[in-house]
Protein backbone atom coordinates (compact mmCIF):
# COMPACT_ATOMS: atom_id res chain seq x y z
CA UNK A 1 0.00 0.00 0.00
CA UNK A 2 2.10 2.92 -1.28
CA UNK A 3 2.34 5.77 1.20
CA UNK A 4 -0.30 4.37 3.53
CA UNK A 5 -0.37 3.07 7.08
CA UNK A 6 -3.19 0.75 8.00
CA UNK A 7 -4.63 -0.94 11.05
CA UNK A 8 -7.56 -3.32 11.55
CA UNK A 9 -10.46 -2.62 13.83
CA UNK A 10 -13.53 -4.84 14.08
CA UNK A 11 -13.19 -6.27 10.60
CA UNK A 12 -12.37 -2.92 9.02
CA UNK A 13 -9.08 -1.47 7.90
CA UNK A 14 -8.37 2.06 9.06
CA UNK A 15 -6.10 3.79 6.55
CA UNK A 16 -3.95 6.87 6.96
CA UNK A 17 -2.69 8.33 3.69
CA UNK A 18 0.65 10.09 3.74
CA UNK A 19 1.12 13.73 2.66
CA UNK A 20 0.06 14.28 -0.93
CA UNK A 21 -1.37 17.22 -2.83
CA UNK A 22 -4.68 15.39 -3.17
CA UNK A 23 -6.12 12.83 -0.76
CA UNK A 24 -9.04 10.56 -1.54
CA UNK A 25 -9.75 10.42 2.18
CA UNK A 26 -9.78 14.19 2.61
CA UNK A 27 -7.78 15.10 5.71
CA UNK A 28 -5.38 12.35 6.68
CA UNK A 29 -6.97 10.12 9.27
CA UNK A 30 -7.65 6.55 10.32
CA UNK A 31 -10.83 6.21 8.26
CA UNK A 32 -12.93 3.10 7.88
CA UNK A 33 -12.37 1.18 4.66
CA UNK A 34 -13.03 -2.40 3.55
CA UNK A 35 -10.52 -4.95 4.76
CA UNK A 36 -8.59 -5.51 1.53
CA UNK A 37 -5.01 -5.53 2.77
CA UNK A 38 -3.66 -8.05 5.27
CA UNK A 39 -0.17 -6.57 5.49
CA UNK A 40 -0.82 -4.19 8.36
CA UNK A 41 1.67 -2.93 10.88
CA UNK A 42 -0.79 -1.60 13.47
CA UNK A 43 -3.41 -4.20 14.36
CA UNK A 44 -6.23 -3.11 16.66
CA UNK A 45 -8.34 -5.88 18.17
CA UNK A 46 -11.96 -5.57 19.28
CA UNK A 47 -10.83 -5.72 22.91
CA UNK A 48 -8.33 -2.91 22.37
CA UNK A 49 -10.87 -0.77 20.54
CA UNK A 50 -13.43 -1.15 23.33
CA UNK A 51 -10.76 -0.24 25.88
CA UNK A 52 -9.87 2.86 23.83
CA UNK A 53 -13.53 3.84 23.53
CA UNK A 54 -14.12 3.36 27.25
CA UNK A 55 -11.10 5.51 28.09
CA UNK A 56 -12.36 8.10 25.62
CA UNK A 57 -15.58 8.51 27.61
CA UNK A 58 -13.64 8.54 30.89
CA UNK A 59 -11.51 11.44 29.66
CA UNK A 60 -14.51 13.39 28.44
CA UNK A 61 -16.45 12.65 31.63
CA UNK A 62 -13.51 13.74 33.78
CA UNK A 63 -13.26 17.12 32.06
CA UNK A 64 -16.89 17.66 31.03
CA UNK A 65 -17.66 20.21 33.75
CA UNK A 66 -14.62 22.23 32.67
CA UNK A 67 -15.74 22.19 29.04
CA UNK A 68 -19.44 22.83 29.71
CA UNK A 69 -18.59 25.55 32.24
CA UNK A 70 -22.14 25.79 33.61
CA UNK A 71 -23.84 25.97 30.23
CA UNK A 72 -26.86 23.89 29.25
CA UNK A 73 -27.39 22.15 25.92
CA UNK A 74 -23.92 22.86 24.53
CA UNK A 75 -23.48 22.19 20.81
CA UNK A 76 -20.39 20.00 20.39
CA UNK A 77 -18.26 19.30 17.34
CA UNK A 78 -16.49 15.96 16.89
CA UNK A 79 -14.00 16.40 14.01
CA UNK A 80 -13.17 13.15 12.21
CA UNK A 81 -15.62 11.43 14.53
CA UNK A 82 -15.54 7.88 13.18
CA UNK A 83 -18.06 5.95 15.27
CA UNK A 84 -17.01 7.39 18.63
CA UNK A 85 -19.37 6.11 21.30
CA UNK A 86 -18.93 9.24 23.41
CA UNK A 87 -21.13 11.10 20.90
CA UNK A 88 -24.11 9.12 22.18
CA UNK A 89 -22.98 9.55 25.79
CA UNK A 90 -22.75 13.31 25.37
CA UNK A 91 -26.16 13.50 23.70
CA UNK A 92 -27.62 11.51 26.60
CA UNK A 93 -26.20 14.19 28.91
CA UNK A 94 -28.46 16.75 27.23
CA UNK A 95 -26.08 18.24 24.68
CA UNK A 96 -26.21 18.14 20.89
CA UNK A 97 -23.47 16.68 18.71
CA UNK A 98 -22.28 17.39 15.19
CA UNK A 99 -19.67 15.05 13.76
CA UNK A 100 -17.69 15.09 10.53
CA UNK A 101 -16.44 11.82 9.03
CA UNK A 102 -15.30 10.83 5.54
CA UNK A 103 -16.43 7.21 5.88
CA UNK A 104 -20.10 6.44 5.37
CA UNK A 105 -19.41 2.94 6.68
CA UNK A 106 -18.27 4.31 10.05
CA UNK A 107 -21.33 6.56 10.29
CA UNK A 108 -23.73 3.73 9.52
CA UNK A 109 -21.97 1.51 12.06
CA UNK A 110 -22.31 4.22 14.70
CA UNK A 111 -26.08 4.47 14.35
CA UNK A 112 -26.46 0.70 14.15
CA UNK A 113 -24.29 -0.03 17.19
CA UNK A 114 -25.98 2.68 19.25
CA UNK A 115 -29.44 1.45 18.22
CA UNK A 116 -30.39 4.85 16.84
CA UNK A 117 -32.82 5.45 14.00
CA UNK A 118 -31.82 8.21 11.62
CA UNK A 119 -32.61 10.10 8.46
CA UNK A 120 -30.26 10.61 5.53
CA UNK A 121 -30.15 13.48 3.08
CA UNK A 122 -27.82 15.29 0.72
CA UNK A 123 -26.00 18.49 1.71
CA UNK A 124 -26.58 21.04 -1.09
CA UNK A 125 -23.70 23.24 0.09
CA UNK A 126 -21.16 20.40 -0.20
CA UNK A 127 -21.25 18.43 -3.48
CA UNK A 128 -21.34 14.68 -2.80
CA UNK A 129 -21.79 15.09 0.95
CA UNK A 130 -24.50 13.43 3.01
CA UNK A 131 -26.08 14.33 6.33
CA UNK A 132 -27.16 11.64 8.80
CA UNK A 133 -29.36 12.82 11.66
CA UNK A 134 -30.70 10.84 14.61
CA UNK A 135 -34.48 10.79 14.84
CA UNK A 136 -34.39 12.79 18.08
CA UNK A 137 -32.25 15.45 16.38
CA UNK A 138 -29.49 15.31 19.00
CA UNK A 139 -26.78 13.83 16.76
CA UNK A 140 -25.97 15.04 13.24
CA UNK A 141 -23.11 13.51 11.27
CA UNK A 142 -21.76 14.95 8.03
CA UNK A 143 -20.19 12.46 5.64
CA UNK A 144 -17.69 14.58 3.78
CA UNK A 145 -14.11 15.79 3.55
CA UNK A 146 -13.48 17.79 6.71
CA UNK A 147 -11.96 20.62 4.69
CA UNK A 148 -15.24 21.02 2.79
CA UNK A 149 -17.00 21.59 6.13
CA UNK A 150 -17.37 25.17 7.38
CA UNK A 151 -19.31 27.44 9.69
CA UNK A 152 -21.44 28.50 6.72
CA UNK A 153 -22.60 24.88 6.50
CA UNK A 154 -23.24 24.10 10.14
CA UNK A 155 -22.61 27.22 12.19
CA UNK A 156 -20.15 27.55 15.06
CA UNK A 157 -19.78 25.45 18.18
CA UNK A 158 -19.74 25.92 21.92
CA UNK A 159 -17.62 22.83 22.52
CA UNK A 160 -15.17 20.65 20.60
CA UNK A 161 -13.87 17.21 21.61
CA UNK A 162 -10.74 16.33 19.66
CA UNK A 163 -9.46 12.88 20.53
CA UNK A 164 -7.96 10.94 17.64
CA UNK A 165 -8.30 13.81 15.16
CA UNK A 166 -5.34 16.20 15.33
CA UNK A 167 -3.08 13.27 16.23
CA UNK A 168 -4.22 11.47 13.06
CA UNK A 169 -3.67 14.42 10.73
CA UNK A 170 -0.30 14.32 9.01
CA UNK A 171 1.99 17.12 10.21
CA UNK A 172 1.95 18.77 6.79
CA UNK A 173 -1.82 19.30 7.13
CA UNK A 174 -1.90 20.59 10.69
CA UNK A 175 -1.94 24.32 10.00
CA UNK A 176 -4.85 23.94 7.61
CA UNK A 177 -6.64 21.82 10.20
CA UNK A 178 -6.01 24.33 13.01
CA UNK A 179 -7.24 27.23 10.87
CA UNK A 180 -10.47 25.36 10.16
CA UNK A 181 -11.05 24.40 13.80
CA UNK A 182 -10.51 27.98 15.00
CA UNK A 183 -13.02 29.21 12.41
CA UNK A 184 -15.60 26.80 13.85
CA UNK A 185 -15.20 28.02 17.44
CA UNK A 186 -17.97 30.26 18.77
CA UNK A 187 -16.89 33.11 21.04
CA UNK A 188 -17.60 31.02 24.16
CA UNK A 189 -16.28 27.76 22.70
CA UNK A 190 -14.25 25.47 24.94
CA UNK A 191 -12.08 23.12 22.89
CA UNK A 192 -10.81 19.94 24.57
CA UNK A 193 -7.73 18.67 22.73
CA UNK A 194 -6.01 15.34 23.33
CA UNK A 195 -2.39 14.79 22.21
CA UNK A 196 0.39 12.22 22.55
CA UNK A 197 4.09 12.45 23.31
CA UNK A 198 6.63 9.71 22.53
CA UNK A 199 10.08 9.28 21.03
CA UNK A 200 9.58 10.00 17.28
CA UNK A 201 12.87 8.33 16.40
CA UNK A 202 11.32 5.02 17.48
CA UNK A 203 7.86 5.37 15.92
CA UNK A 204 6.54 7.64 13.17
CA UNK A 205 2.78 7.32 13.82
CA UNK A 206 -0.13 7.37 13.56
CA UNK A 207 -1.11 8.48 16.09
CA UNK A 208 1.38 11.24 15.41
CA UNK A 209 3.49 13.04 17.98
CA UNK A 210 2.09 16.49 18.81
CA UNK A 211 4.45 18.35 21.17
CA UNK A 212 3.16 21.20 23.33
CA UNK A 213 5.22 23.63 21.25
CA UNK A 214 3.32 22.52 18.16
CA UNK A 215 -0.02 23.09 19.91
CA UNK A 216 1.19 26.59 20.79
CA UNK A 217 2.39 27.26 17.24
CA UNK A 218 -0.91 26.10 15.75
CA UNK A 219 -3.36 27.71 18.17
CA UNK A 220 -1.46 30.15 20.38
CA UNK A 221 -2.15 33.31 18.37
CA UNK A 222 -5.91 32.82 18.51
CA UNK A 223 -6.41 30.79 21.66
CA UNK A 224 -5.58 30.62 25.33
CA UNK A 225 -4.15 27.16 26.02
CA UNK A 226 -4.54 25.57 29.44
CA UNK A 227 -2.99 22.17 30.24
CA UNK A 228 -5.50 19.99 32.09
CA UNK A 229 -3.88 16.57 32.35
CA UNK A 230 -0.72 14.62 31.59
CA UNK A 231 -0.98 10.86 31.96
CA UNK A 232 1.25 7.85 31.40
CA UNK A 233 -0.66 5.99 28.67
CA UNK A 234 2.02 3.40 27.91
CA UNK A 235 0.83 -0.22 27.54
CA UNK A 236 2.15 -3.41 25.98
CA UNK A 237 0.40 -2.36 22.78
CA UNK A 238 2.61 0.70 22.51
CA UNK A 239 5.65 -1.41 23.34
CA UNK A 240 4.85 -3.41 20.21
CA UNK A 241 5.17 -0.17 18.21
CA UNK A 242 8.78 -0.02 19.36
CA UNK A 243 8.43 2.96 21.71
CA UNK A 244 9.42 3.07 25.35
CA UNK A 245 6.94 5.64 26.69
CA UNK A 246 3.65 7.30 25.75
CA UNK A 247 2.30 10.38 27.47
CA UNK A 248 -1.27 11.48 26.83
CA UNK A 249 -2.01 15.16 27.37
CA UNK A 250 -5.32 17.03 27.53
CA UNK A 251 -5.50 20.76 26.78
CA UNK A 252 -8.33 23.28 27.07
CA UNK A 253 -8.40 25.95 24.37
CA UNK A 254 -10.54 29.08 24.45
CA UNK A 255 -10.57 32.01 22.03
CA UNK A 256 -8.68 35.10 23.10
CA UNK A 257 -10.90 38.11 23.56
CA UNK A 258 -10.28 40.73 20.89
Amino acid sequence: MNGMIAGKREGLVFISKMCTSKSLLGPTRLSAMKDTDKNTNMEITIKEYLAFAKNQIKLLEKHLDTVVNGRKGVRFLFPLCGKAIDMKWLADMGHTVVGVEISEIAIQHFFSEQNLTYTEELVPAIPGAKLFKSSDGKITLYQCNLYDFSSSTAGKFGGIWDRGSLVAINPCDRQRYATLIISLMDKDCRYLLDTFLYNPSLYKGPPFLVPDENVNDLFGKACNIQPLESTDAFTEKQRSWGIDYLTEKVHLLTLKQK
Side-chain angles (χ1 to χ4, degrees):
M1 298 176 63
N2 294 332
M4 291 187 178
I5 297 173
K8 282 190 288 187
R9 181 181 297 173
E10 295 188 288
L12 299 175
V13 167
F14 290 70
I15 297 177
S16 179
K17 191 175 178 67
M18 304 307 286
C19 295
T20 58
S21 59
K22 294 181 180 179
S23 171
L24 294 177
L25 298 181
T28 307
R29 191 201 190 263
L30 305 180
S31 292
M33 304 292 286
K34 291 183 179 179
D35 188 353
T36 57
D37 192 304
K38 303 302 181 181
N39 298 316
T40 61
N41 70 338
M42 198 173 87
E43 301 227 347
I44 303 175
T45 65
I46 294 176
K47 182 178 180 181
E48 288 165 341
Y49 170 65
L50 292 176
F52 174 85
K54 185 177 181 181
N55 187 47
Q56 197 166 11
I57 288 182
K58 283 184 177 179
L59 272 177
L60 183 56
E61 182 177 11
K62 183 175 182 178
H63 298 290
L64 185 61
D65 287 345
T66 300
V67 178
V68 170
N69 197 35
R71 298 171 294 170
K72 302 292 184 182
V74 176
R75 190 164 178 261
F76 276 87
L77 172 68
F78 279 60
L80 305 183
C81 63
K83 55 177 185 175
I85 63 176
D86 39 353
M87 293 191 290
K88 173 65 162 55
W89 180 84
L90 198 56
D92 289 343
M93 297 292 290
H95 305 289
T96 57
V97 172
V98 174
V100 184
E101 170 58 45
I102 194 68
S103 169
E104 185 172 343
I105 296 173
I107 292 174
Q108 291 172 340
H109 281 200
F110 167 77
F111 283 108
S112 174
E113 292 170 9
Q114 299 304 318
N115 297 312
L116 295 172
T117 56
Y118 63 92
T119 59
E120 176 182 340
E121 61 187 76
L122 297 178
V123 182
I126 308 176
K130 294 181 181 180
L131 184 149
F132 297 78
K133 182 179 288 187
S134 63
S135 297
D136 62 8
K138 292 182 178 180
I139 300 174
T140 302
L141 304 184
Y142 286 82
Q143 186 262 311
C144 65
N145 182 324
L146 180 64
Y147 298 130
D148 290 334
F149 187 78
S150 68
S151 59
S152 63
T153 302
K156 296 191 176 187
F157 298 88
I160 300 174
W161 177 215
D162 185 333
R163 187 167 194 248
S165 187
L166 177 61
V167 297
I169 296 288
N170 273 313
C172 61
D173 293 327
R174 285 180 185 167
Q175 188 58 65
R176 185 182 184 190
Y177 176 87
T179 299
L180 173 62
I181 293 297
I182 291 168
S183 75
L184 293 168
M185 296 175 69
D186 211 341
K187 60 183 180 180
D188 64 345
C189 182
R190 299 174 74 82
Y191 171 22
L192 197 63
L193 171 65
D194 188 70
T195 60
F196 294 111
L197 300 178
Y198 55 79
N199 185 342
S201 68
L202 299 177
Y203 180 71
K204 302 302 182 184
F208 294 105
L209 170 78
V210 183
D212 291 353
E213 312 87 78
N214 195 205
V215 175
N216 289 326
D217 289 344
L218 292 170
F219 297 100
K221 289 184 179 180
C223 298
N224 301 303
I225 303 170
Q226 177 185 349
L228 296 182
E229 181 176 350
S230 180
T231 305
D232 180 3
F234 187 73
T235 69
E236 287 302 313
K237 178 60 185 178
Q238 284 75 49
R239 191 185 303 278
S240 72
W241 299 353
I243 61 177
D244 50 10
Y245 76 92
L246 180 71
T247 301
E248 186 168 14
K249 305 197 74 172
V250 180
H251 317 259
L252 178 69
L253 281 66
T254 55
L255 288 175
K256 292 180 177 179
Q257 299 301 315
K258 297 181 179 179

